[in-house]
Structure formats: C-alpha cells, structure tokens
Amino acid sequence: MTVQPDPALRVKELRDLIDQHNYSYYVLDEPTVPDAEYDRLFTELRALEEANPDLVTPDSPTQRVGGLASGAFGQVRHEVPMLSLGNAFAESDMLDFDRRIRRTLDLPEGDLFAAGSSVAYCCEPKLDGLAISLLYEDGVLTRGATRGDGTTGEDITANVRTVRNIPLRLRGEGWPAVLEVRGEVYMPKAGFERLNAEARETGGKTFANPRNAAAGSLRQLDSGITARRPLEFCSYGIGRFEGELPDTQVGILHRLRDWGMPISRELKLVEGIDGCLDYYRDIGERRSSLPYEIDGVVFKVNDLGWQRELGFRAREPRWAIAHKFPASEEMTELLDVEFQ
Ligand SMILES: NC(=O)c1c(N)nc(OC2CCCC2)nc1O[C@@H]1CCC[C@@H]1O
C-alpha cells in the first residue's frame, strides 16, 4: 500500500516553493525555475486544494484571481494620510529645497561638502501610475486601497490581489505585526502597447497613456478583468506600522525587499544636492529606455529622524520633492534649442 503524503504538508511545501520562485522572479529579477516547472508546481497545488478545500487559505498563490464582482468599492480611511509631493521644475528649485532643509536642520551653511553640512538623499524615479496602500496583518495581505484624496480611498483589495508582483504574504521574518506598504501600481510601456493593440483589433477601449490604463484597470469592479491587465507594483514607503523599522529611508526599502516587496531597481543613496542633480541628469538620459513611464525623479531625506523634524507643509512633506522632467513635447523644443 503506497503511503499517501499528508496533503497539508505537501500544500505547505508547494506554497513555500512557489512564493520563493515569485520572490526570485519579481523582486530579485532572477528567475530560479523555467516557466514549465513553475506551472507544474502551481497545477499540483491547485489540484491538492480542490481535493482538500479545507486547506485553502486566502494567502495561497491560487487565491489571486477573480474575486466576486462587488457592487461598488468600500471606503477606506488612511490613518496616516497619503500625501502628495511638492514639485521642483528648475535646478534653482532643487537648490532652494536643499538649502531650506539644511537651514531647518541648522546644518552649517559653510562649504557644501564640509563634513556634516550635506544631507544624504534617497533617490528613485517617479513612476507615473496610481498610488496605493497595502495592509499586511501578521504578514498576510488583508487590504488594498487607492490613495483617493489622501485621507479617504477606495477598497480595491480584490483587484490588488491580482497584481502578480504584490505578495499575498510577507516572506522571511522580523516584519511588524501591522505593516502598511505604500507604492505605485503602473503599467509597463510594453504591456500598455499590447493592451491598446488588442483593443484596436477587438474594437475595445484604448487608453491615452499607461497611467490612465493602470488607473482604469485597478478600478474595475470585476477583478477578473484586472487580473488580465499587465499591471506591476513598486513599493516606495510605509504608512502605519506596529513594530520596529530601520531609521533610514533606504534601510526601510531594503527591509521591504527582504520581506518580498518589489522596490525600484534604480534606488540610489546620494550625498548632497550635487548628488541629486547628477542622478536627475542620469535618469533623464535613460528615461526613454526605461520599461515604464516616469514624469520625474523623487528625492527624500534619508534620515528618518530628520524627516520627522522637517515634517510637512499642508499636504506635502518638507523632506521630499519631485524634480520633474519637461513634458515630452517641451523636451523636444529644449533639445532643438540646445542642438541648433
Ligand atoms: N510616484 C512615485 O514614484 C512616488 C515615489 N517614488 N515616492 C513617493 O513618496 C512620497 C509619498 C508621500 C511622501 C513621499 N511618492 C510617489 O508618488 C506620489 C504618491 C502620491 C502622489 C505622487 O504620485
């Protein structure tokens, strides 16, 4: 008589394997198995869960797609407001931003690079998507919400669960019992072009740009539709949390990555305003070759103690700014002028 392996043990083993492969593929960008092997594991897990329905849990990788189409979205109140970002358009705006910070922090005005007078900034591209909040309780994703007006958003939990690189449970250990992860859902350029090409062929609705496509896809009442849209998520910070976290912006993002959250591959820690301007120029040169649309870069004071000291002005943090690129048509004018 062959001994049937305990289905509960095999289900746990398969889930751990699939979560590990997802982490390598979506967060480390280093696939560990061929798709065929991944699909075999997934098919075995789905079959085991169908044969043993009492083993199904919401954080199983089989439970992503196709929540019930609800009548409308519930409301979610953001305990920690989801703020917007101040904008810098010219280099002088960036110099003012840095000078204001150093003055508020009472750093020596003297020579910019005198020890202790420059501020370390965490830099990343400003993704042109939709800001969302993901709530993880005891490491399990329990709620997804749009930013809305910053205080009240829409409950889009069933839809965010279909975004393949949003983990349904945190990996590793040491994550806070309550952790609200914030970031941007966006549609990569290639997925956007494919979606519009399909829509033109089938007479469906086309979208003007990837940002509208992402917003429209996330706010579908039928999550089965969302599941078929090429959406991705990138985390850039946290909201509410109960537990311990590092005291730097980069430190927090590295922990989020360890716990299975995708963060920007362009993340960089720079020193002082010159480091910011070099980063802005570098991303500006590579903008058209990035696989997603951006409308600027975001700079944040890296030290969280200083972030708290700097606080917010109305709805914008004094410790963060978006340095925008000229809109593409202006950019051509700009380049025309420069190369005439
Ligand atoms: N779109 C982005 O890539 C982005 C980012 N990388 N980082 C932040 O940090 C802000 C959030 C509140 C204080 C700092 N915000 C971003 O986008 C904002 C969110 C809401 C409005 C902008 O889209």
Side-chain angles (χ1 to χ4, degrees):
M1 186 263 277
T2 52
V3 176
Q4 285 299 329
D6 171 4
L9 278 184
R10 183 58 181 157
V11 158
K12 180 179 179 341
E13 191 180 17
L14 286 166
R15 283 184 191 158
D16 292 347
L17 271 171
I18 290 168
D19 284 350
Q20 182 54 31
H21 292 321
N22 282 340
Y23 173 68
S24 301
Y25 183 83
Y26 288 117
V27 178
L28 302 184
D29 208 26
E30 299 157 2
T32 37
V33 282
D35 291 356
E37 169 60 10
Y38 180 88
D39 295 345
R40 196 195 61 69
L41 294 171
F42 203 91
T43 305
E44 184 186 348
L45 175 59
R46 196 194 288 281
L48 267 177
E49 289 181 346
E50 274 162 19
N52 305 274
D54 56 309
L55 291 178
V56 177
T57 55
D59 63 338
S60 170
T62 61
Q63 302 305 305
R64 270 190 185 284
V65 184
L68 289 178
S70 53
F73 296 115
Q75 297 283 294
V76 167
R77 177 170 175 66
H78 299 300
E79 282 182 33
V80 175
M82 287 186 74
L83 299 167
S84 58
L85 271 173
N87 289 328
F89 294 98
E91 201 166 289
S92 56
D93 301 328
M94 284 301 296
L95 293 171
D96 294 344
F97 171 69
D98 177 61
R99 189 178 305 117
R100 212 173 33 242
I101 285 173
R102 285 187 290 115
R103 195 167 295 147
T104 308
L105 296 174
D106 200 20
L107 297 180
E109 281 284 329
D111 157 33
L112 245 184
F113 291 97
S117 69
S118 70
V119 172
Y121 290 100
C122 171
C123 317
E124 57 197 351
K126 184 172 182 294
L127 296 169
D128 203 359
L130 197 75
I132 66 163
S133 154
L134 300 170
L135 184 63
Y136 288 87
E137 293 174 289
D138 296 324
V140 174
L141 177 63
T142 54
R143 192 189 70 197
T146 63
R147 174 172 162 259
D149 63 8
T151 307
T152 308
E154 291 167 317
D155 185 323
I156 53 167
T157 307
N159 291 347
V160 300
R161 291 175 62 87
T162 73
V163 179
R164 301 302 189 277
N165 74 337
I166 290 180
L168 299 180
R169 60 176 179 172
L170 299 178
R171 76 186 285 279
E173 69 286 317
W175 25 261
V178 174
L179 178 67
E180 182 195 357
V181 178
R182 293 175 170 184
E184 201 89 355
V185 171
Y186 60 96
M187 189 177 289
K189 293 172 183 171
F192 170 70
E193 298 305 335
R194 266 197 318 274
L195 181 69
N196 269 358
E198 275 164 32
R200 280 191 286 274
E201 272 168 35
T202 62
K205 174 178 183 293
T206 57
F207 291 97
N209 54 53
R211 193 213 163 283
N212 290 4
S217 302
L218 258 191
R219 304 187 61 230
Q220 286 289 332
L221 286 175
D222 175 358
S223 60
I225 295 174
T226 310
R228 292 190 291 279
R229 298 286 173 82
L231 295 174
E232 288 186 16
F233 174 73
C234 178
S235 38
Y236 55 61
I238 48 129
R240 207 181 122 208
F241 70 96
E242 285 161 22
E244 293 300 310
L245 279 176
D247 60 358
T248 60
Q249 188 75 21
V250 171
I252 287 178
L253 291 172
H254 286 164
R255 294 310 307 272
L256 289 180
R257 182 184 56 197
D258 297 343
W259 294 331
M261 302 309 301
I263 64 172
S264 173
R265 282 197 281 283
E266 299 294 341
L267 181 74
K268 189 173 182 183
L269 183 62
V270 302
E271 196 59 40
I273 188 61
D274 284 6
C276 293
L277 296 173
D278 290 346
Y279 182 85
Y280 175 80
R281 282 187 281 270
D282 171 46
I283 296 291
E285 285 158 13
R286 297 193 284 122
R287 181 182 185 188
S288 55
S289 64
L290 292 174
Y292 41 78
E293 283 202 350
I294 63 172
D295 59 346
V297 293
V298 181
F299 299 110
K300 299 169 190 174
V301 169
N302 190 46
D303 182 294
L304 258 66
W306 281 354
Q307 286 190 14
R308 281 188 289 275
E309 203 174 321
L310 290 158
F312 304 89
R313 179 186 57 238
R315 309 175 51 70
E316 293 165 2
R318 287 200 184 89
W319 45 267
I321 197 161
H323 188 175
K324 309 294 283 283
F325 293 120
S328 43
E329 57 282 352
E330 290 165 60
M331 177 68 106
T332 341
E333 283 156 26
L334 191 74
L335 290 176
D336 291 349
V337 166
E338 273 183 8
F339 294 102
Q340 258 162 11

